[in-house]
PDB file of all heavy atoms in Angstrom:
ATOM      1  N   MET A  58      26.923   8.010  25.909  1.00  0.00           N
ATOM      2  CA  MET A  58      25.695   7.775  25.135  1.00  0.00           C
ATOM      3  C   MET A  58      25.073   9.100  24.693  1.00  0.00           C
ATOM      4  O   MET A  58      24.807   9.330  23.528  1.00  0.00           O
ATOM      5  CB  MET A  58      24.714   6.956  25.991  1.00  0.00           C
ATOM      6  CG  MET A  58      23.253   7.319  25.896  1.00  0.00           C
ATOM      7  SD  MET A  58      22.524   7.132  24.285  1.00  0.00           S
ATOM      8  CE  MET A  58      22.014   5.425  24.404  1.00  0.00           C
ATOM      9  N   THR A  59      24.902  10.014  25.671  1.00  0.00           N
ATOM     10  CA  THR A  59      24.286  11.300  25.348  1.00  0.00           C
ATOM     11  C   THR A  59      25.061  12.052  24.263  1.00  0.00           C
ATOM     12  O   THR A  59      24.496  12.699  23.414  1.00  0.00           O
ATOM     13  CB  THR A  59      24.211  12.201  26.604  1.00  0.00           C
ATOM     14  OG1 THR A  59      23.345  11.557  27.546  1.00  0.00           O
ATOM     15  CG2 THR A  59      23.661  13.556  26.266  1.00  0.00           C
ATOM     16  N   ARG A  60      26.377  11.926  24.291  1.00  0.00           N
ATOM     17  CA  ARG A  60      27.180  12.653  23.315  1.00  0.00           C
ATOM     18  C   ARG A  60      26.961  12.118  21.911  1.00  0.00           C
ATOM     19  O   ARG A  60      27.188  12.801  20.939  1.00  0.00           O
ATOM     20  CB  ARG A  60      28.664  12.576  23.700  1.00  0.00           C
ATOM     21  CG  ARG A  60      29.210  11.188  23.777  1.00  0.00           C
ATOM     22  CD  ARG A  60      30.535  11.211  24.519  1.00  0.00           C
ATOM     23  NE  ARG A  60      30.372  11.822  25.851  1.00  0.00           N
ATOM     24  CZ  ARG A  60      31.366  11.905  26.730  1.00  0.00           C
ATOM     25  NH1 ARG A  60      32.556  11.492  26.405  1.00  0.00           N
ATOM     26  NH2 ARG A  60      31.149  12.420  27.911  1.00  0.00           N
ATOM     27  N   HIS A  61      26.515  10.835  21.815  1.00  0.00           N
ATOM     28  CA  HIS A  61      26.246  10.281  20.492  1.00  0.00           C
ATOM     29  C   HIS A  61      24.890  10.754  19.999  1.00  0.00           C
ATOM     30  O   HIS A  61      24.716  11.057  18.831  1.00  0.00           O
ATOM     31  CB  HIS A  61      26.266   8.746  20.548  1.00  0.00           C
ATOM     32  CG  HIS A  61      27.618   8.202  20.845  1.00  0.00           C
ATOM     33  ND1 HIS A  61      28.719   8.530  20.089  1.00  0.00           N
ATOM     34  CD2 HIS A  61      28.059   7.357  21.790  1.00  0.00           C
ATOM     35  CE1 HIS A  61      29.783   7.911  20.569  1.00  0.00           C
ATOM     36  NE2 HIS A  61      29.409   7.198  21.608  1.00  0.00           N
ATOM     37  N   VAL A  62      23.928  10.793  20.915  1.00  0.00           N
ATOM     38  CA  VAL A  62      22.586  11.234  20.547  1.00  0.00           C
ATOM     39  C   VAL A  62      22.590  12.695  20.130  1.00  0.00           C
ATOM     40  O   VAL A  62      21.913  13.084  19.187  1.00  0.00           O
ATOM     41  CB  VAL A  62      21.611  11.051  21.736  1.00  0.00           C
ATOM     42  CG1 VAL A  62      20.229  11.569  21.363  1.00  0.00           C
ATOM     43  CG2 VAL A  62      21.530   9.587  22.116  1.00  0.00           C
ATOM     44  N   PHE A  63      23.376  13.521  20.835  1.00  0.00           N
ATOM     45  CA  PHE A  63      23.441  14.952  20.517  1.00  0.00           C
ATOM     46  C   PHE A  63      24.799  15.332  19.936  1.00  0.00           C
ATOM     47  O   PHE A  63      25.445  16.275  20.398  1.00  0.00           O
ATOM     48  CB  PHE A  63      23.168  15.775  21.774  1.00  0.00           C
ATOM     49  CG  PHE A  63      21.864  15.466  22.423  1.00  0.00           C
ATOM     50  CD1 PHE A  63      21.808  15.094  23.770  1.00  0.00           C
ATOM     51  CD2 PHE A  63      20.657  15.535  21.716  1.00  0.00           C
ATOM     52  CE1 PHE A  63      20.591  14.816  24.388  1.00  0.00           C
ATOM     53  CE2 PHE A  63      19.437  15.253  22.325  1.00  0.00           C
ATOM     54  CZ  PHE A  63      19.410  14.889  23.661  1.00  0.00           C
ATOM     55  N   ALA A  64      25.247  14.574  18.943  1.00  0.00           N
ATOM     56  CA  ALA A  64      26.538  14.852  18.315  1.00  0.00           C
ATOM     57  C   ALA A  64      26.647  16.305  17.860  1.00  0.00           C
ATOM     58  O   ALA A  64      25.770  16.814  17.175  1.00  0.00           O
ATOM     59  CB  ALA A  64      26.726  13.921  17.127  1.00  0.00           C
ATOM     60  N   GLY A  65      27.716  16.939  18.279  1.00  0.00           N
ATOM     61  CA  GLY A  65      27.917  18.310  17.861  1.00  0.00           C
ATOM     62  C   GLY A  65      27.360  19.362  18.794  1.00  0.00           C
ATOM     63  O   GLY A  65      27.464  20.557  18.514  1.00  0.00           O
ATOM     64  N   TRP A  66      26.806  18.929  19.937  1.00  0.00           N
ATOM     65  CA  TRP A  66      26.211  19.894  20.871  1.00  0.00           C
ATOM     66  C   TRP A  66      27.256  20.317  21.896  1.00  0.00           C
ATOM     67  O   TRP A  66      27.903  19.483  22.527  1.00  0.00           O
ATOM     68  CB  TRP A  66      25.027  19.231  21.581  1.00  0.00           C
ATOM     69  CG  TRP A  66      24.346  20.145  22.561  1.00  0.00           C
ATOM     70  CD1 TRP A  66      24.158  21.495  22.441  1.00  0.00           C
ATOM     71  CD2 TRP A  66      23.746  19.762  23.800  1.00  0.00           C
ATOM     72  NE1 TRP A  66      23.472  21.964  23.530  1.00  0.00           N
ATOM     73  CE2 TRP A  66      23.194  20.939  24.384  1.00  0.00           C
ATOM     74  CE3 TRP A  66      23.598  18.554  24.481  1.00  0.00           C
ATOM     75  CZ2 TRP A  66      22.527  20.914  25.614  1.00  0.00           C
ATOM     76  CZ3 TRP A  66      22.932  18.543  25.693  1.00  0.00           C
ATOM     77  CH2 TRP A  66      22.393  19.708  26.249  1.00  0.00           C
ATOM     78  N   ASP A  67      27.400  21.602  22.088  1.00  0.00           N
ATOM     79  CA  ASP A  67      28.389  22.114  23.033  1.00  0.00           C
ATOM     80  C   ASP A  67      27.852  22.171  24.462  1.00  0.00           C
ATOM     81  O   ASP A  67      28.554  22.606  25.374  1.00  0.00           O
ATOM     82  CB  ASP A  67      28.868  23.502  22.604  1.00  0.00           C
ATOM     83  CG  ASP A  67      27.738  24.531  22.625  1.00  0.00           C
ATOM     84  OD1 ASP A  67      26.629  24.181  23.081  1.00  0.00           O
ATOM     85  OD2 ASP A  67      27.965  25.670  22.190  1.00  0.00           O
ATOM     86  N   GLY A  68      26.628  21.738  24.640  1.00  0.00           N
ATOM     87  CA  GLY A  68      26.064  21.726  25.987  1.00  0.00           C
ATOM     88  C   GLY A  68      25.342  22.990  26.397  1.00  0.00           C
ATOM     89  O   GLY A  68      24.686  23.026  27.434  1.00  0.00           O
ATOM     90  N   SER A  69      25.410  24.012  25.597  1.00  0.00           N
ATOM     91  CA  SER A  69      24.744  25.266  25.951  1.00  0.00           C
ATOM     92  C   SER A  69      23.312  25.333  25.425  1.00  0.00           C
ATOM     93  O   SER A  69      22.926  24.569  24.532  1.00  0.00           O
ATOM     94  CB  SER A  69      25.529  26.449  25.381  1.00  0.00           C
ATOM     95  OG  SER A  69      25.386  26.500  23.969  1.00  0.00           O
TER      96      SER A  69
END
Side-chain angles (χ1 to χ4, degrees):
Chain A
M58 141 62 88
T59 296
R60 59 195 56 177
H61 293 305
V62 178
F63 303 125
W66 180 36
D67 64 6
S69 71

